[in-house]
Amino acid sequence: MLDAALTDTISKFPLDIKPFRDMIEGMRMDTTRFRYDNFQELYLYCYYVAGTVGLMSVPVMGIAAESESSAQSIYNAALYLGIGNQLTNILRDVGEEEFMKEQITRARFYFNLAEEGASKLEKASRWPVWSSLLDYDNFTRRAYVGRTKKLLTLPLAYTKAQSMSSLILQ
């Protein structure tokens, strides 16, 4: 059933095979590697397991026709959202220390870069992306957003998505 859904998606959207292959490599890394010696290695892991999701999402979500940004900059923003999300996932599982403060700063850096591309997506796709970008405290406690809070944050995400579209048209 999942193969049928993927086949249908690939037939409807111009998806590149590379992010799919890279994601599989990330899954392989998950089975053999648990530590990374430097940020370059960690970044590569984040790319494989999460950045690829962003790259796969752009063709499905679409780029707004009125966007004056290059497709590459929008793909980069999607990649950065994945990197920021994966760094945040890692940070949730690790205790606070000096090293983590640097990683938190780094994750926020990637989220800021991702925001630049969120407003360039097709209008219908902006709202869910902005919902994932909204700031909540996931660095000092396990991130969990209950149904009520999710519903209460959706209007803010919707407003951001709409206001960003008006900025594009100016």
Side-chain angles (χ1 to χ4, degrees):
M1 195 152 109
L2 292 176
D3 288 342
L6 181 59
T7 300
D8 182 61
T9 302
I10 288 171
S11 71
K12 291 181 179 174
F13 302 101
L15 293 165
D16 183 8
I17 191 69
K18 185 176 181 348
F20 289 90
R21 289 184 174 147
D22 288 348
M23 179 183 268
I24 292 168
E25 179 60 30
M27 292 175 188
R28 286 186 184 124
M29 289 173 76
D30 267 341
T31 65
T32 59
R33 265 193 101 175
F34 305 102
R35 296 196 181 275
Y36 298 91
D37 295 331
N38 54 52
F39 182 67
Q40 271 186 311
E41 290 180 5
L42 180 61
Y43 179 92
L44 188 60
Y45 170 74
C46 291
Y47 160 74
Y48 281 138
V49 299
T52 53
V53 175
L55 297 177
M56 292 177 211
S57 299
V58 173
V60 176
M61 292 184 169
I63 298 172
E66 68 272 13
S67 173
E68 295 180 10
S69 296
S70 70
Q72 185 61 53
S73 70
I74 296 165
Y75 274 89
N76 286 345
L79 170 65
Y80 300 145
L81 178 58
I83 299 293
N85 279 330
Q86 187 59 35
L87 287 171
T88 302
N89 288 342
I90 292 166
L91 290 167
R92 281 191 222 140
D93 298 329
V94 179
E96 180 68 26
E97 60 180 64
E98 200 60 44
F99 173 76
M100 290 302 104
K101 288 180 183 174
E102 182 181 333
Q103 302 314 312
I104 290 168
T105 300
R106 192 174 266 154
R108 286 187 176 131
F109 169 77
Y110 284 106
F111 283 129
N112 288 337
L113 292 174
E115 284 183 18
E116 294 175 16
S119 60
K120 310 299 190 296
L121 296 170
E122 282 290 340
K123 194 171 185 176
S125 299
R126 292 180 200 146
W127 189 13
V129 173
W130 272 104
S131 296
S132 73
L133 281 167
L134 285 177
D135 190 31
Y136 57 91
D137 181 11
N138 56 4
F139 296 121
T140 60
R141 60 181 169 78
R142 181 76 176 153
Y144 173 77
V145 181
R147 183 182 307 201
T148 302
K149 188 168 183 181
K150 282 180 191 173
L151 291 174
L152 291 174
T153 60
L154 287 176
L156 177 59
Y158 182 78
T159 301
K160 280 189 168 276
Q162 297 308 306
S163 66
M164 290 300 165
S165 64
S166 66
L167 291 175
I168 293 172
L169 299 175
Q170 292 178 353

